[in-house]
Amino acid sequence: MMMLWKGIRILFIWVQSVFFLQCSCKGYNPPDNYMLDCGSSTNTTVGDRVFIADDNSESSKFLSTPQDVLAISSSNSNGDSPLYRTARVFTGTTKYTFPITQKGRHWIRLYFSPFSYNSYDMSSAKFTVSTESFVLLNSFTTTSSVVKEYSLNVTSGSLTMTFSPSSNSFAFLNAIEVISVPNELIQDDAALLPSGNYHGLLDQALETVHRVNMGGPAISSLNDSLWRTWLNDWNFLVAKGLATNVSNIDAVNYIPGGPSQNIAPSTVYGTLTEMNSADNPSSNFNVSWQFNVDLGFRYLVRFHFCDIVSKSLNQLYFNLYIGTSMVVSNLDLSTKAFNTLAAPYYLDLVTDLTDNTTLHVSIGPDTANGAYPNAILNGLEIMKLNNTMRSLSGDSSSVPSGSSSKSHVGVIVGSSIGGFLAVVFIVVLFICCQKRRRRLARQGLTKTWIPLSINGGTSLTMGSKFSSGTTASIASSLGYRIPFMAVQEATNNFDESWVIGIGGFGKVYRGELGDGTKVAVKRGNPKSQQGLAEFQTEIEMLSQFRHRHLVSLIGYCDERSEMILIYEYMENGTLKSHLYGSGLPSLSWKQRLEICIGAARGLHYLHTGYAKAVIHRDVKSANILLDENLMAKVADFGLSKAGPELDQTHVSTAVKGSFGYLDPEYFRRQQLTEKSDVYSFGVVLFEVVCARPVIDPTLPREMVNLAEWAMKWQKKGQLENIIDQDLAGKIRPDSLRKFAETAEKCLADYGVDRPSMGDVLWNLEYALQLQEAVLLGDPEDSSMNVIGELSPQVNNFSHVDANVDASVSATAAIHAQEDPAIDDLSGVSMSRVFSQLVKSEGR
Ligand SMILES: *[C@@H]1O[C@H](CO)[C@@H](O)[C@H](O)[C@H]1NC(C)=O
Ligand SMILES: *[C@@H]1O[C@H](CO)[C@@H](O)[C@H](O)[C@H]1NC(C)=O
Ligand SMILES: *[C@@H]1O[C@H](CO)[C@@H](O)[C@H](O)[C@H]1NC(C)=O
Ligand SMILES: *[C@@H]1O[C@H](CO)[C@@H](O)[C@H](O)[C@H]1NC(C)=O
Ligand SMILES: *[C@@H]1O[C@H](CO)[C@@H](O)[C@H](O)[C@H]1NC(C)=O
Ligand SMILES: *[C@@H]1O[C@H](CO)[C@@H](O)[C@H](O)[C@H]1NC(C)=O
Ligand SMILES: *[C@@H]1O[C@H](CO)[C@@H](O)[C@H](O)[C@H]1NC(C)=O
């Protein structure tokens, strides 16, 4: 009977967990969702989507010049889509205006299927389509059915699309969609070819030119959560005999924190094209696809991967090329996709301006690892970026004519004035740079300042192979420069009563910019040479990394040898201040978990957002800030380092960081890996659950160092004895257990035994689920069983006796004395700490 109950319970929990895993796959519900069947007097259903009839007053309200419009029906049905049976013809400039309820990226899909009606032969129609900001089509003609898909960020309350016939011609349209796109779909940055990073994708208008499902069937818009169409890759393959298909759709394992179904459906991730190398273990060739593109544009290329062919992790190593450029060498999907087999992963890359009308994408084996030669690709999207003329049309030389030209004149005049200003701006900057360079040269500082390179000239790029240049040059940081006068004004001339914090770097003031933006202003001590290096690192890091969970830099000021950094203002201060010592109300367990999850996301992004990991080096609760909604953002990148090259495993560097959070391995071997951040984050986790300082010299000896103290209790399985009293009885035991185990694993002695930030994130999310889930029966003995069944990856941390011994901490303390970067002992007498720790060494 007992067995039966247990079985039922496990089954129930399993069902719940499966449900939990599927949460992220729920259909997307767009806030704006317009679908019109142009010229039709009846609603048209395509699958489960209803395109509204627009030949009535209800939907023709979107049309601003209805007198120019003719709604017509073709006598014979045209093509296979019911949308192609009717069209509207515009003989003069016509506007469609859609109210936008939620600003942000939207799809625009335009359906064209020419047919003849009366004197109108639509295959001879020639026209231009533009929005307020971008030209989508210029002098467009088509003789066959085509759907044009765009996505652009709508930043006002409406979207207007203008159809302008060329002289003596007319325009037509069969159907139109304007639909919100989830924010996760397009991120602001991507790797750039031939080197560096591309920032500012959020502001780009994109046109989808190819969307391909490798090794699988075409997928219609009805089988895609965002109504995208995917084609089979067969016709794009260059040497078809070199490739084979694989399909295992059920294997696809979407995991929280990774790409969701909205990025691409399992029908894309579950099929792939691989090298036809099964019969020959010495195969060495590339599988290539070729795509037509327009000359003179940049393209965003998104590669979708999901390793459904390997039997275990770390079996597949391959290279990825665009044209002859290496995009990534020695790609190991296991490390990219949360150490989970068959977990989706995608990679974004922006090409250089195209100088050829074919774009080749190739994959080939990386033989260096001795693994069986193979290479895979599951899906590919190629999206055109608008050019500097804000146009997506290949034929941008001809300016639209006639009655239509007004809006374009605006665009063109606007961009020429913009161009002129840009030139003036660049000249001024150049002069400033020169001046500054001379001044710095006098101070002997040029080397550290120009170029602003991280880690001796290597850069944060996808494929380190081709990146000899630096990523963020001084020029790319200059966009953020703010005049000293403005900073003075914003901080009421550095009013002492506006100081909100004092750190190693200097004072932090609250402030308000001219436009009312609240900011935090960090003013460095100009005399410190170390400060200068950190100042530059911080500017460089923050201008490259933009993420919800990283504090964003609004600007900086380096006039008059000032070192001032201006950040977004974080209403709720540091995580530390909410844990102890400041009398703020205690956070609930759920709030704490969400904060940890946010911070883990920020760090995970730093570690994996680019092929080259960035190590924060100073993870602590005082560097995790909270906004007005208590959303966590990681701050203070002054110490960050670009992580190891792909072929190395660590960065050798002088020990820096904050006392109490320092990774003992880093300390012993002076070798830095992402796992040093994981260690520090583990300390933060204990701090969060125990709500006490990481070093508290007023306590009895064995309690001084939180990491040691908490590990001692955790190993006995009795952490609950030392947790924050405010949490007592409010944490579900299995949630606490998961959380504590995660923290424990982070504190493993050796980096290799610690989980990755992605694993930590996963486990924290799981702890949150365990807290929230309403489980049947006693939650005490459920979590472990369930997790085992959920995913083999969850339980795969090796159980190492993480023995953070006092001698390490003591030496760390001594080192700390020499290192001015260590500043987290707010108000605590250093010498007392040291003596406590040195004493404890002999324990
Ligand atoms: C079409 O659908 C819309 C919304 O679903 C509805 O308001 C409208 O009455 C329908 N029109 C016709 C002609 O059926
Ligand atoms: C749209 O653009 C605005 C302003 O550039 C930006 O703040 C916002 O994040 C963008 N949104 C999306 C979804 O791209
Ligand atoms: C697409 O969806 C239809 C039903 O909506 C289904 O019959 C079909 O098998 C699906 N195709 C794929 C490739 O999943
Ligand atoms: C791969 O799949 C495509 C589409 O399903 C098919 O046309 C092609 O013949 C397949 N190729 C091989 C080698 O099986
Ligand atoms: C694969 O393509 C790249 C880029 O064109 C080339 O450098 C490489 O030599 C090719 N590899 C093989 C095995 O042909
Ligand atoms: C484009 O590249 C191909 C080789 O891939 C070459 O034969 C052709 O000449 C190039 N075209 C142009 C316009 O450069
Ligand atoms: C696309 O247009 C935006 C203006 O919204 C501009 O900032 C950007 O530089 C353009 N993209 C390219 C690649 O020129």
Side-chain angles (χ1 to χ4, degrees):
M1 193 59 187
M2 278 293 284
M3 287 288 284
L4 183 65
W5 269 116
K6 199 157 184 154
I8 288 174
R9 202 160 75 203
I10 288 172
L11 182 72
F12 180 79
I13 292 161
W14 181 79
V15 168
Q16 284 218 331
S17 317
V18 167
F19 176 74
F20 153 61
L21 279 182
Q22 309 255 303
C23 290
S24 57
C25 340
K26 245 183 286 169
Y28 167 67
N29 193 9
D32 292 310
N33 193 2
Y34 299 102
M35 294 178 278
L36 303 183
D37 184 5
C38 302
S40 173
S41 53
T42 54
N43 287 348
T44 305
T45 306
V46 181
D48 55 356
R49 317 177 75 198
V50 178
F51 285 71
I52 306 295
D54 90 333
D55 188 16
N56 60 39
S57 55
E58 170 53 21
S59 52
S60 36
K61 69 181 180 205
F62 300 116
L63 275 173
S64 66
T65 51
Q67 68 278 14
D68 289 341
V69 174
L70 210 63
I72 52 174
S73 278
S74 77
S75 41
N76 56 330
S77 90
N78 190 328
D80 43 13
S81 172
L83 296 172
Y84 292 159
R85 282 197 291 262
T86 60
R88 274 182 182 260
V89 165
F90 312 122
T91 52
T93 300
T94 301
K95 288 185 192 321
Y96 272 98
T97 303
F98 298 95
I100 297 297
T101 56
Q102 191 168 312
K103 294 174 188 172
R105 193 164 283 276
H106 285 69
W107 298 120
I108 298 176
R109 295 194 181 97
L110 304 175
Y111 294 70
F112 301 104
S113 182
F115 56 86
S116 288
Y117 178 80
N118 294 348
S119 59
Y120 297 104
D121 173 8
M122 293 177 210
S123 56
S124 70
K126 187 171 178 189
F127 54 99
T128 291
V129 183
S130 57
T131 68
E132 293 98 325
S133 325
F134 297 99
V135 179
L136 305 182
L137 290 168
N138 193 359
S139 305
F140 173 72
T141 61
T142 182
T143 53
S144 57
S145 301
V146 56
V147 181
K148 291 280 185 179
E149 181 185 277
Y150 304 89
S151 81
L152 47 92
N153 185 349
V154 181
T155 50
S156 66
S158 70
L159 173 70
T160 299
M161 241 169 297
T162 307
F163 286 72
S164 315
S166 300
S167 50
N168 300 324
S169 193
F170 61 93
F172 76 99
L173 183 64
N174 300 72
I176 184 169
E177 295 176 23
V178 173
I179 301 182
S180 303
V181 171
N183 286 339
E184 63 177 318
L185 196 69
I186 301 292
Q187 304 294 324
D188 198 43
D189 28 31
L192 179 65
L193 268 186
S195 74
N197 294 307
Y198 189 89
H199 306 290
L201 283 175
L202 292 185
D203 298 325
Q204 300 293 317
L206 301 171
E207 177 186 352
T208 310
V209 290
H210 298 286
R211 185 179 283 129
V212 183
N213 178 22
M214 273 46 193
I219 297 167
S220 89
S221 56
L222 304 173
N223 291 31
D224 179 289
S225 63
L226 302 180
W227 310 281
R228 291 163 296 202
T229 301
W230 303 73
L231 299 180
N232 169 251
D233 68 322
W234 190 247
N235 292 329
F236 301 99
L237 268 170
V238 176
K240 298 179 168 53
L242 297 180
T244 51
N245 296 345
V246 178
S247 170
N248 188 357
I249 291 168
D250 293 337
V252 179
N253 186 4
Y254 287 95
I255 53 180
S260 71
Q261 294 249 2
N262 287 337
I263 300 295
S266 57
T267 38
V268 170
Y269 280 122
T271 66
L272 57 77
T273 293
E274 65 171 354
M275 279 176 73
N276 187 0
S277 61
D279 309 327
N280 184 358
S282 56
S283 301
N284 189 10
F285 55 82
N286 290 333
V287 176
S288 297
W289 294 262
Q290 68 178 30
F291 300 92
N292 291 334
V293 293
D294 287 332
L295 283 178
F297 282 88
R298 287 189 189 278
Y299 286 84
L300 169 62
V301 182
R302 174 170 288 187
F303 300 90
H304 294 276
F305 296 106
C306 181
D307 184 356
I308 52 168
V309 294
S310 292
K311 299 283 174 284
S312 69
L313 290 172
N314 310 104
Q315 282 193 341
L316 176 64
Y317 298 87
F318 60 100
N319 300 331
L320 186 61
Y321 310 91
I322 288 186
T324 54
S325 301
M326 174 89 79
V327 176
V328 184
S329 69
N330 209 1
L331 180 60
D332 176 6
L333 293 175
S334 319
T335 62
K336 291 294 175 191
F338 295 82
N339 278 319
T340 306
L341 215 51
Y345 166 70
Y346 72 87
L347 192 154
D348 280 347
L349 181 127
V350 172
T351 66
D352 204 354
L353 295 172
T354 42
D355 59 0
N356 197 313
T357 53
T358 46
L359 182 80
H360 282 260
V361 170
S362 314
I363 52 174
D366 193 293
T367 44
N369 294 70
Y372 196 90
N374 197 5
I376 65 168
L377 185 59
N378 301 62
L380 188 72
E381 291 174 89
I382 302 181
M383 293 166 262
K384 188 198 264 181
L385 270 57
N386 64 274
N387 63 16
T388 50
M389 302 290 285
R390 293 172 172 244
S391 172
L392 282 161
S393 169
D395 182 22
S396 47
S397 53
S398 60
V399 178
S401 55
S403 54
S404 60
S405 56
K406 214 167 170 188
S407 60
H408 306 290
V409 171
V411 169
I412 288 156
V413 168
S415 50
S416 351
I417 292 177
F420 175 71
L421 289 181
V423 168
V424 170
F425 184 64
I426 288 166
V427 169
V428 169
L429 282 186
F430 181 76
I431 293 169
C432 292
C433 273
Q434 288 298 322
K435 273 193 178 160
R436 169 165 185 88
R437 187 194 290 257
R438 262 180 258 127
R439 193 174 75 237
L440 288 173
R442 272 200 306 279
Q443 297 166 1
L445 297 178
T446 351
K447 233 189 202 147
T448 51
W449 178 243
I450 300 166
L452 256 178
S453 80
I454 310 171
N455 198 18
T458 52
S459 61
L460 305 162
T461 56
M462 302 300 306
S464 50
K465 286 274 163 64
F466 56 78
S467 60
S468 52
T470 55
T471 304
S473 64
I474 183 167
S476 71
S477 316
L478 278 172
Y480 297 93
R481 203 166 182 172
I482 293 181
F484 186 69
M485 292 274 288
V487 184
Q488 270 181 314
E489 212 164 286
T491 55
N492 200 19
N493 200 14
F494 300 102
D495 190 332
E496 285 300 306
S497 65
W498 290 27
V499 170
I500 50 174
I502 302 179
F505 179 84
K507 287 182 180 165
V508 185
Y509 301 81
R510 88 187 136 81
E512 196 170 314
L513 295 181
D515 64 355
T517 314
K518 282 178 140 189
V519 291
V521 175
K522 189 157 124 182
R523 188 186 197 188
N525 173 359
K527 288 185 199 86
S528 135
Q529 169 76 44
Q530 161 139 27
L532 180 64
E534 287 176 15
F535 177 66
Q536 290 158 1
T537 313
E538 179 118 17
I539 294 172
E540 173 148 348
M541 290 294 168
L542 282 172
S543 38
Q544 303 212 28
F545 291 91
R546 301 204 151 263
H547 190 267
R548 257 162 81 77
H549 294 289
L550 299 180
V551 169
S552 42
L553 184 70
I554 291 176
Y556 72 93
C557 170
D558 58 357
E559 275 170 43
R560 315 187 193 174
S561 343
E562 288 282 353
M563 293 188 293
I564 297 173
L565 294 166
I566 299 132
Y567 303 91
E568 66 178 310
Y569 185 71
M570 298 291 284
E571 202 77 47
N572 274 310
T574 68
L575 166 60
K576 185 177 179 176
S577 68
H578 288 263
L579 293 174
Y580 49 84
S582 59
L584 291 170
S586 166
L587 297 170
S588 72
W589 180 235
K590 183 178 173 214
Q591 284 170 325
R592 295 184 206 204
L593 279 172
E594 281 168 350
I595 290 166
C596 293
I597 289 170
R601 275 211 178 128
L603 289 171
H604 177 60
Y605 173 76
L606 276 184
H607 290 176
T608 60
Y610 295 87
K612 201 151 173 352
V614 167
I615 305 166
H616 185 287
R617 295 216 293 175
D618 199 13
V619 175
K620 57 184 178 182
S621 58
N623 279 343
I624 296 171
L625 303 184
L626 305 174
D627 75 0
E628 67 275 19
N629 303 317
L630 291 177
M631 186 169 93
K633 300 197 182 200
V634 177
D636 218 333
F637 294 69
L639 298 179
S640 308
K641 278 262 184 204
E645 291 288 340
L646 292 172
D647 52 350
Q648 288 177 310
T649 54
H650 66 269
V651 171
S652 218
T653 172
V655 172
K656 292 182 180 158
S658 288
F659 185 46
Y661 296 93
L662 267 185
D663 167 14
E665 186 178 43
Y666 168 35
F667 185 75
R668 273 195 305 270
R669 303 172 52 198
Q670 315 250 310
Q671 287 176 349
L672 190 63
T673 70
E674 300 96 290
K675 298 297 178 71
S676 309
D677 284 350
V678 172
Y679 182 93
S680 308
F681 191 71
V683 179
V684 172
L685 294 180
F686 278 127
E687 197 181 351
V688 162
V689 70
C690 299
R692 53 150 281 189
V694 294
I695 299 289
D696 186 347
T698 62
L699 293 172
R701 199 178 63 195
E702 72 275 17
M703 296 172 65
V704 169
N705 184 326
L706 171 64
E708 276 173 54
W709 179 239
M711 284 297 274
K712 192 169 146 187
W713 286 95
Q714 168 60 17
K715 283 202 207 114
K716 285 196 271 183
Q718 297 176 357
L719 189 72
E720 60 276 16
N721 290 341
I722 62 162
I723 66 169
D724 184 0
Q725 279 316 296
D726 287 334
L727 294 175
K730 296 178 195 150
I731 310 189
R732 301 184 69 93
D734 45 356
S735 176
L736 176 61
R737 192 185 314 149
K738 185 87 245 166
F739 184 89
E741 274 169 18
T742 310
E744 178 183 1
K745 279 153 195 159
C746 291
L747 295 196
D749 249 357
Y750 295 97
V752 290
D753 300 325
R754 295 177 203 145
S756 70
M757 228 37 238
D759 288 333
V760 172
L761 176 58
W762 208 105
N763 280 274
L764 292 176
E765 301 239 28
Y766 201 79
L768 178 61
Q769 290 297 322
L770 290 172
Q771 177 71 16
E772 303 255 272
V774 185
L775 301 178
L776 267 193
D778 175 16
E780 268 293 347
D781 62 356
S782 58
S783 64
M784 289 322 293
N785 304 334
V786 182
I787 293 165
E789 287 170 38
L790 252 183
S791 146
Q793 171 251 342
V794 184
N795 268 334
N796 73 355
F797 305 154
S798 51
H799 278 264
V800 167
D801 250 9
N803 186 6
V804 185
D805 64 54
S807 62
V808 168
S809 325
T811 5
I814 290 153
H815 201 94
Q817 216 168 9
E818 303 159 5
D819 194 330
I822 295 173
D823 60 289
D824 193 43
L825 288 172
S826 27
V828 167
S829 146
M830 281 298 255
S831 56
R832 272 182 67 197
V833 179
F834 298 147
S835 61
Q836 286 280 3
L837 281 156
V838 171
K839 263 186 263 158
S840 72
E841 192 180 11
R843 198 156 44 107

